[in-house]
Amino acid sequence: MSYSIYTGFKIQNIDNLLVNGEVADAKYLGEVDERPDIYEKIKFNGRTYVTSVINDSSQIVIVEEVKVLDQDTTFEYEKNAICPYCGTEQTDSWELSGDDGEENMDIREEILNKYKKFNDYLENIDLNSLRNNFSRQELNDFKNKLYDIKIRSLPYEISNMTKEMKEEEYPELLGIHHYPILKEIDFLTEKEKMDLDNFLVKFIPNRDFVQTFWKVVKSPKKTELLKKYLIEKGVVEERYVVKCPNCHQGHLSKMMSNEKKEELKTLLHNKATYYKLEPYLNFICDDCFDELDPYEIDEFSMQTYLILVMERDKSLDHV
């Protein structure tokens, strides 16, 4: 099967060539009896060409002319190699060692260059050309084939690797290190203390409330001891909210510190005016819409919450 050879092809016409077999205004050079390989040298009329694009369905080969240098040609080198034909700097070049032949190029630069080139290739794909030339079923089949190609995520793998390296260098990261004060607890197992350390770090201090200790400590007795310990050590603080005396679900106040709670109790005991109670209480329940008369209630029910207040130890974050 013979192939027609063309040169002077403009890369912007690549879609027409690959899909329709059109070569636009490229120059016809002749034919070859066998299909050449990509980058194979072909000679016509004393000139040397290199194969760059092949369309097998139309038996068309696009080639580019290259120059053949004399053996005594002098090459220029700076940080990267300079092409002796056109003067372009080859940014992905490297120099072989004169001792053992190993590449001196930093493998990270090589990987980055490959990543960038692949990204550039993806960015230059014209989806409209796919839409205009293939059916929906063909594109779905093509999509599934792309999904079947499991591309490695080097950033993810390197992240896991550097995490392991960091833990090897700083083994204390494998223990209790976010809240070292937890090491002093004598009523929890080492695993429970480790789980608690990893649990507390999920909350943001002075914003998040911690109520689900059962995820870490299964024993109700240990849970109560833990709450007391965390309060005493300043890891968490108590916050209070007034519950509706009618439905027992709605809140009649914002979250209050212990100081604000005692102030409210004093005001209620002294039968303070509505005006003085207003900063502390809502007089209508948002859940049952019952209207509150604070002077008819002997004692309000309050619910207690725990808010994380201690910042975690960040000394090992940036080692």
Side-chain angles (χ1 to χ4, degrees):
M1 181 182 296
S2 62
Y3 280 72
S4 300
I5 310 298
Y6 291 85
T7 189
F9 180 76
K10 296 180 179 180
I11 193 63
Q12 58 263 37
N13 297 323
I14 189 69
D15 289 341
N16 287 334
L17 168 64
L18 296 179
V19 177
N20 304 317
E22 298 178 2
V23 292
D25 55 356
K27 179 182 177 181
Y28 174 74
L29 294 177
E31 296 188 358
V32 292
D33 294 332
E34 297 181 357
R35 181 189 185 279
D37 292 328
I38 290 291
Y39 302 128
E40 181 178 336
K41 291 181 181 179
I42 301 176
K43 289 188 176 182
F44 278 99
N45 301 322
R47 296 176 180 270
T48 302
Y49 301 86
V50 172
T51 304
S52 60
V53 180
I54 299 177
N55 185 337
D56 288 309
S57 61
S58 302
Q59 289 84 54
I60 292 176
V61 177
I62 302 300
V63 298
E64 297 179 9
E65 185 178 1
V66 296
K67 298 177 182 179
V68 179
L69 299 178
D70 297 331
Q71 290 185 347
D72 58 353
T73 300
T74 301
F75 293 87
E76 296 182 19
Y77 295 94
E78 293 183 3
K79 180 179 179 181
N80 295 302
I82 306 295
C83 175
Y85 300 105
C86 64
T88 301
E89 183 178 6
Q90 307 299 309
T91 57
D92 59 349
S93 61
W94 65 87
E95 181 181 359
L96 294 180
S97 169
D99 299 326
D100 53 16
E102 293 181 354
E103 296 178 5
N104 286 335
M105 179 185 181
D106 190 331
I107 189 173
R108 296 172 300 174
E109 293 300 321
E110 181 182 356
I111 293 172
L112 282 174
N113 286 334
K114 298 295 184 183
Y115 253 63
K116 290 175 182 177
K117 286 182 178 180
F118 183 57
N119 181 67
D120 290 342
Y121 172 76
L122 294 178
E123 290 293 332
N124 288 320
I125 293 176
D126 184 4
L127 292 181
N128 286 327
S129 67
L130 294 173
R131 179 173 186 151
N132 295 333
N133 290 287
F134 300 98
S135 67
R136 181 165 60 88
Q137 182 59 50
E138 288 174 324
L139 291 176
N140 275 328
D141 292 341
F142 177 60
K143 174 199 67 178
N144 292 333
K145 289 179 180 179
L146 290 176
Y147 276 132
D148 288 339
I149 301 174
K150 306 302 181 184
I151 299 178
R152 291 180 66 182
S153 174
L154 281 182
Y156 174 77
E157 291 183 39
I158 292 173
S159 176
N160 286 336
M161 181 176 64
T162 55
K163 180 176 181 292
E164 291 177 2
M165 294 168 66
K166 184 176 180 180
E167 290 170 351
E168 290 172 1
E169 188 175 355
Y170 297 92
E172 54 266 44
L173 288 169
L174 299 174
I176 300 169
H177 64 282
H178 298 300
Y179 289 92
I181 198 170
L182 302 180
K183 296 178 182 179
E184 302 173 7
I185 298 177
D186 58 5
F187 53 85
L188 297 180
T189 65
E190 289 302 313
K191 182 181 183 306
E192 287 173 331
K193 288 188 282 187
M194 175 67 101
D195 291 343
L196 179 61
D197 189 51
N198 292 325
F199 174 70
L200 291 176
V201 79
K202 299 176 182 178
F203 299 91
I204 297 177
N206 298 305
R207 193 199 73 174
D208 293 343
F209 291 88
V210 186
Q211 293 295 115
T212 53
F213 287 112
W214 60 266
K215 292 184 177 181
V216 179
V217 181
K218 306 303 181 184
S219 165
K221 182 179 179 180
K222 283 186 176 181
T223 299
E224 292 306 312
L225 288 173
L226 176 60
K227 289 180 179 180
K228 182 179 179 181
Y229 176 87
L230 295 178
I231 293 171
E232 289 178 351
K233 297 298 182 180
V235 179
V236 299
E237 288 182 358
E238 291 177 304
R239 294 289 185 270
Y240 308 90
V241 63
V242 178
K243 304 287 288 186
C244 174
N246 181 45
C247 67
H248 305 289
Q249 296 295 326
H251 291 177
L252 297 179
S253 72
K254 296 179 181 180
M255 289 289 178
M256 298 182 293
S257 65
N258 186 65
E259 180 183 0
K260 291 292 183 182
K261 181 193 73 169
E262 295 302 321
E263 289 178 4
L264 176 59
K265 282 187 174 182
T266 300
L267 290 172
L268 291 172
H269 178 75
N270 295 332
K271 303 295 183 181
T273 63
Y274 275 86
Y275 176 77
K276 290 185 177 180
L277 290 173
E278 197 171 17
Y280 299 87
L281 287 176
N282 298 321
F283 297 110
I284 297 179
C285 175
D286 290 336
D287 276 31
C288 67
F289 304 105
D290 184 46
E291 187 170 356
L292 170 70
D293 186 350
Y295 306 117
E296 295 181 353
I297 300 174
D298 295 330
E299 186 174 354
F300 283 93
S301 173
M302 292 193 180
Q303 185 168 344
T304 304
Y305 294 88
L306 297 179
I307 186 171
L308 183 70
V309 293
M310 179 181 286
E311 293 282 348
R312 68 181 180 88
D313 187 334
K314 300 178 181 179
S315 60
L316 292 174
D317 283 8
H318 304 292
V319 292

